[in-house]
Structure formats: structure tokens, C-alpha cells
Amino acid sequence: MAFGGIDYSQKEEARNHFKDLVELLENLIEPFTKNDVDVIKRARLYRAVIFGYSQNELWGLFKLALVPAQTSFEFTLEEAIATITA
């Protein structure tokens, strides 16, 4: 499904989790935006970060990195939050 390489035997459950994530992100972002278009764009940014880091972790792309995945993930989130709250 969303992560490619993970076999979700319960596709409906995975779909529900994805919907929950979308709703959570939109609710967190909404107070910092001016309109619905901004909410959608910002929520997509965070989803891309979350799924991108998850996929890279699954593929093992962080194993030999000089900077730990957690460190760069936190940096990326801080940068994204700064663009919304500025």
C-alpha cells in the first residue's frame, strides 16, 4: 500500500490509519493557515516527510549515514513547523 514493501493483509485497516493521519495533520495545521488550500498543501508536506522517512528506513538507506535518521527527521520537522508558524 502506501509504503510499498509492507504487506498489509488488512488493506481497509491501513486505509483507515492513513485517513486518521490526514485528519490529524489537517487539524494540527489548520490554526496556522489562512485557508483550506494552505491546510491541504501543508498537510501534504508533512505526509511526504513522514512517508519519505519511513520508506527510507524500510529500505535501509539510513544505516550507513553520518547523521542518524532521527536527527535529520527532527531537523526536517522543525524546519517545516517554522515555515508554518512564522
Side-chain angles (χ1 to χ4, degrees), residues 7-81:
D7 180 21
Y8 283 111
S9 59
Q10 303 292 327
K11 288 184 181 180
E12 188 62 33
E13 182 179 353
R15 192 172 292 118
N16 289 336
H17 287 303
F18 180 74
K19 288 178 184 177
D20 290 344
L21 174 63
V22 170
E23 185 177 324
L24 173 67
L25 289 171
E26 289 177 351
N27 288 336
L28 289 171
I29 293 166
E30 191 273 329
F32 300 101
T33 59
K34 298 175 186 170
N35 55 56
D36 290 342
V37 172
D38 285 344
V39 171
I40 292 168
K41 291 189 302 187
R42 304 266 184 208
R44 287 177 179 169
L45 167 70
Y46 281 100
R47 285 198 314 267
V49 168
I50 292 166
F51 291 136
Y53 272 85
S54 298
Q55 191 67 54
N56 281 294
E57 182 67 33
L58 288 170
W59 288 343
L61 298 176
F62 293 127
K63 289 186 186 209
L64 300 176
L66 294 176
V67 178
Q70 184 68 30
T71 301
S72 58
F73 182 71
E74 289 171 5
F75 171 79
T76 302
L77 286 181
E78 288 170 8
E79 289 293 307
I81 290 168

